[in-house]
Amino acid sequence: MPLRALASLLAPPVCAGCGGHAGDAEPLCGPCRRELRWLTGVARLGGVEVFAPLAYEGPARAMVRALKFRGATLAADTMAAQIAAGAPRGALRSGVLVPIPLHPRRLRRRGFNQAERLAAALGRRTGLAVADCLVREGPARTQVGRDRAERLAGVHGTIVVRAGAEVPRRAILVDDVVTTGATVAAGAAALRGAGVGDVTAVAYARTPGR
C-alpha cells in the first residue's frame, strides 16, 4: 500500500473548515467548499491593485488559519491554485512574486512565513520566480483590535527592501489575506522607493467590501 494511502487510513484528512472528513487532495470538505464566497474583479487598496479570489469569511478564513498557524502544505497548494485559476487575464503572466515579510520575532516563533509558502506554491503553478527581497524592521505590532487608521499608521514604514537585495522591474506582492490594505501598501511603498515601477498584489482572501 502506498505510504500516502496508509497515512490516510491511520490519520484521515481533516477539513480545515469544520473538522470533518476531507478528501486526500482537499483541505476542505464538500459542504465547506460550497460555502466559499467567490469575488470578482480587482480591488484598489492603499494605492495598490489587489486580486483575491475569495471573501475573508467562513471556510476561507479557516484556510488562512490552517496555513498561518499550522503551515499546512496542502492548504498552500490549494490556495495558490485558486488564485491562479481566478486571476484576471495577464495578471500572473509576467513579473516576480514577492512575499510580504513576517517580523523576525514572529518568524522565529512560527518557524515559517505563510506568505512565502503561498508565493512558492504560486510560483510552481505559474512558473514565475519568487524574490524574498523585503524584510520587517522595528517592533512587532499586532493588527488585531486596531481600526483602519491605526493599521495604516502602524504598518507603513516597517517594511523595507532587504539590504543588498535586487528588486524586480515588475513585482507581484503575495499575502495570505488582505483586510485594510495597509500591509500591501507598505510593501508597495518599499518597492517603489527602491525603483520598482510596477507593483500589484495577490492574496487568497480579502475583506468583503474593500
Side-chain angles (χ1 to χ4, degrees), residues 42-131:
V42 173
R44 191 165 186 85
L45 300 171
V48 183
E49 288 191 349
V50 181
F51 169 73
L54 291 161
Y56 184 47
E57 60 187 27
R61 183 186 290 265
M63 284 281 285
V64 168
R65 291 185 63 84
L67 176 62
K68 183 172 292 187
F69 299 112
R70 300 204 301 271
T73 302
L74 182 57
D77 290 341
T78 299
M79 293 160 79
Q82 291 171 336
I83 293 171
R89 185 184 299 273
L92 296 173
R93 184 174 298 163
S94 64
V96 175
L97 303 171
V98 178
I100 288 291
L102 198 62
H103 191 275
R105 190 173 73 188
R106 292 202 177 100
L107 185 60
R108 287 192 298 270
R109 184 170 64 240
R110 194 171 295 170
F112 64 92
N113 176 5
Q114 71 276 1
E116 190 175 359
R117 290 199 173 182
L118 183 56
L122 190 57
R124 289 192 294 271
R125 289 202 167 260
T126 61
L128 296 178
V130 178

